[in-house]
Amino acid sequence: PTKDLQADSQMAWLRGNPPKSAAVESPLKIACPGGIRREKGQVGYLQELVNQAWETLFEPQKIQLVVQRPRTGQWFGSWVKKSKLEIRLPSATVNHDPNDSVSQPTHAAITSRDDDQQFHSSPTTTRENDRLDKVGSAPIIYLPHPRPRDEYTRFIREADIGLLFYDSRVYYSRRAGILNELLAAGKPVIVPSGCWLAEQIAEPNFRYATRIIEQYSFEQIGLSDVGWSMHNAPASGGKISFDHDRNRFQFEFEIPTCQQIGLSFDWVWPVKQGVYCQVDVEWLDDQGEVTERQSKVVGHRKEGNFIRGPKNSTANGVSVLFSNHSMATRIRGTLKNAFSDSTICVDQFAFDFIRQPDQNLESEKRSTNLPSGAVGLIVANQECVLAALTEIVENYSHYSATAEQFAQGWIDDHDPESVIHRLLRDEMDFSEVA
């Protein structure tokens, strides 16, 4: 139904429900809309994600995974019956309701009866056109694909988070219609780095990180305050250049007690599409043992979106946040070209230490981190998907509110009538200049 939906002159069909309040109802519905295709990767990463998130997100009934898949035998005949997506549960027994004695045996697959015009998410069987909020607490729900327009629209409206971990190589310059629908509906999303999907939410993430650094930074250190590997030392004037593998920039330094660290730098060159910087950090304890690893991938900011960054940054500043979940005392990191071996150059390299004034970080109980993004999160690789999903679930009110705010501007920019108007206006302006 996606093509028919996008043919509308207005996108208001997606705006059918208000954002959830601070008292968020569980479980949140994690939606993977659309057909199963190789470049979308559902078959590859969803099983691993379920295994990793089972104890922390699925068993406590914080989330439900809602996946579309073809009806048995439709379009592709017997091929679909053999390769149909089945996600197996890692728990020995799964009680979906505390008052319900029905459970599933070890590694039981949640089966589907799409061919009978019903979908089944054991132990609850619900008609295909029932609302998602009526299916109970089953951890995984299968919906048939395609769906009638009104049912698909309702599916998008009733979703809470969009999970679109597509192959970034395929979507480098390829548009994803489902992301368009989720953003227009005001839904937080998780998308892969280095592609069209990431570019759509990169700027609100830059702006949010900059605001948090400006508001909560209590100390900043520059390049002269950190140690680096002499294999690739900074150039005179503080500029840093690095490639993908041979000449990465490596750094390490001690950190004070803080909730988060903000990394800021000016992107010098090349300022062109398809070039991204990957920042890998390791958090270290007092014994030098790695307690956590995080990765972020960022590109340059598009012309017209530059805003002054924190303290020493210029108008071309890039900012990104890392969360200190483990209360580490040192950090070790690497800058590299994320996808190719060409050289990237950055300047005004700085770290900000972030702490909310009312947080007592010396207590044994870990204080809550600020969210590290807005509207959605861009993940560097598959290993980062669980952390991104966990963060959005734990900070759902924030991500839902920022996504809802972002939605109106997104609709204004991508409404077909508005796009045609801008194209015609730009053509007339060009004709007048010529």
Side-chain angles (χ1 to χ4, degrees), residues 220-223 262-265 310 312 347-352:
Q220 183 183 80
I221 62 173
L223 190 59
L263 169 61
S264 302
F265 55 80
N312 67 342
D347 196 5
Q348 299 296 334
F349 183 81
F351 283 99
D352 281 86

Side-chain angles (χ1 to χ4, degrees), residues 120-227:
H120 175 64
S121 45
S122 181
T124 304
T125 302
T126 309
R127 289 194 59 80
E128 178 185 333
N129 60 356
D130 280 354
R131 297 174 62 90
L132 290 183
D133 57 9
K134 302 295 184 183
V135 300
S137 57
I140 303 174
I141 303 167
Y142 295 114
L143 298 180
H145 177 272
R147 293 177 69 75
R149 172 185 170 133
D150 59 338
E151 294 176 18
Y152 178 78
T153 301
R154 190 165 60 208
F155 170 34
I156 297 295
R157 285 177 177 171
E158 294 176 1
D160 295 305
I161 301 169
L163 178 57
L164 306 177
F165 187 65
Y166 295 174
D167 188 336
S168 63
R169 297 168 298 180
V170 177
Y171 283 88
Y172 160 65
S173 58
R174 174 176 171 179
R175 183 179 181 276
I178 291 171
L179 179 64
N180 177 73
E181 294 157 0
L182 289 166
L183 291 178
K187 308 299 179 179
V189 294
I190 297 172
V191 297
S193 62
C195 64
W196 179 87
L197 291 88
E199 293 293 340
Q200 308 316 303
I201 64 170
E203 183 57 28
N205 273 271
F206 283 141
R207 289 178 180 267
Y208 172 79
T210 299
R211 182 172 64 83
I212 293 301
I213 292 171
E214 290 177 337
Q215 186 171 355
Y216 294 113
S217 172
F218 65 89
E219 182 182 351
Q220 183 183 80
I221 62 173
L223 190 59
S224 60
D225 302 308
V226 305

